[in-house]
Amino acid sequence: MTESPAEDLLFEVAPPPTPVERLLQLADQYTQHNDALDLLLHAAGAPLPDEYANSAHRLVAATGAAVKAIQGERLYESEELTEVIMRLKQLIILADASIDLTTLAARELTALAPEAAVTSAVTLASETRRRRWATAPAPDGQLSAAHRTALAEIACGHVTASSSLGREFTRSREPKVLMSTLRALESKGLAERATGTARAAYVGGTPLDRVRLTSAGITALASVIDAPPAGPRTTPGATPRPLPAAAQATSQSR
């Protein structure tokens, strides 16, 4: 019996995310977690621990799954790959430790987690290509240097958006992500705004909109994340920022 095209579609399953895509998804999860903690810190009344403990439990599981996915690639060991695994295991320790802390202390432990996950994705993409003798990815003709830079900054949780007096604007670190660039990414279906999910720019202000990568945006960034730089900086540096003092103390105590 010949199956019809409609029947074929019923059995189509989206391919699982690559380890690099999984790390970019993980960065987004940590950003959402941190945003939730920020809003709790500025909300009236004391937040209940369960409001973020469950989220921290999910982060522990997701980070552990990312480690297993990388190990499942069976890449030859290298110093860079070992550092990626160690960095992710540190994130597991930090997320787990945050469960029993106050909201402020918990927020400090995972503050740099999104950047760490993206940095790991950059290193993993480069190592995967090098170990498999693949050529460096060619820049996507549809993505300018500014677009690729913006995707990386969004992945790190550095970009928010808001409006005032009928004018829209973005807030980001250096390199700046302009509103025109954000709109271009949104028109391509690569980025979106989560309304009112990021902390306000000032005390008593309205929460900002967190700019996030869509699934297509994650795939697009993963495909060029270790591409040759086309500008001053298109992806986060390979060297992560130092861990917070609280994180180092937690690591040493375990």
Side-chain angles (χ1 to χ4, degrees):
M1 178 179 176
T2 303
E3 294 182 351
S4 67
E7 291 175 326
D8 289 340
L9 291 175
L10 293 176
F11 297 97
E12 286 187 0
V13 179
T18 66
V20 172
E21 291 172 340
R22 190 185 290 270
L23 288 176
L24 295 178
Q25 292 172 349
L26 185 66
D28 180 59
Q29 288 177 267
Y30 273 105
T31 296
Q32 291 184 68
H33 176 78
N34 289 344
D35 281 343
L37 290 181
D38 283 336
L39 294 181
L40 285 173
L41 283 169
H42 294 86
L48 297 176
D50 287 347
E51 290 186 61
Y52 61 82
N54 291 336
S55 177
H57 278 300
R58 289 193 292 272
L59 287 174
V60 170
T63 309
V67 170
K68 290 181 179 178
I70 295 170
Q71 294 172 332
E73 291 290 290
R74 299 186 179 279
L75 298 172
Y76 288 109
E77 288 189 11
S78 68
E79 198 170 305
E80 292 79 6
L81 190 60
T82 298
E83 289 178 355
V84 166
I85 298 297
M86 290 176 61
R87 193 176 302 134
L88 293 175
K89 287 183 176 180
Q90 287 177 336
L91 292 185
I92 292 174
I93 293 173
L94 296 177
D96 183 60
S98 72
I99 295 172
D100 299 320
L101 301 178
T102 64
T103 306
L104 178 58
R107 177 66 177 85
E108 291 176 344
L109 284 190
T110 55
L112 303 182
E115 286 187 19
V118 175
T119 297
S120 297
V122 175
T123 304
L124 179 60
S126 179
E127 279 298 288
T128 300
R129 173 176 53 79
R130 186 167 70 86
R131 294 291 175 173
R132 292 177 177 172
W133 300 94
T135 57
D140 188 334
Q142 296 183 342
L143 292 177
S144 67
H147 291 165
R148 285 185 282 146
T149 297
L151 289 174
E153 291 301 303
I154 293 169
C156 286
H158 291 170
V159 187
T160 56
S162 187
S163 61
S164 178
L165 302 176
R167 179 186 176 189
E168 292 184 312
F169 58 89
T170 59
R171 292 181 181 274
S172 61
R173 303 182 186 180
E174 292 292 343
K176 294 293 184 182
V177 176
L178 303 178
M179 177 55 72
S180 58
T181 302
L182 173 57
R183 287 179 180 140
L185 294 177
E186 289 176 326
S187 70
K188 295 176 182 290
L190 303 180
E192 62 186 5
R193 306 178 212 183
T195 305
T197 57
R199 68 179 179 183
Y202 54 90
V203 177
T206 302
L208 303 177
D209 301 341
R210 170 63 61 194
V211 179
R212 300 173 56 195
L213 297 182
T214 62
S215 296
I218 286 175
T219 299
L221 178 57
S223 68
V224 297
I225 199 168
D226 68 322
R233 174 169 169 251
T234 57
T235 55
T239 303
R241 297 182 182 182
L243 290 173
Q248 296 178 18
T250 302
S251 300
Q252 293 171 358
S253 67
R254 295 206 169 198

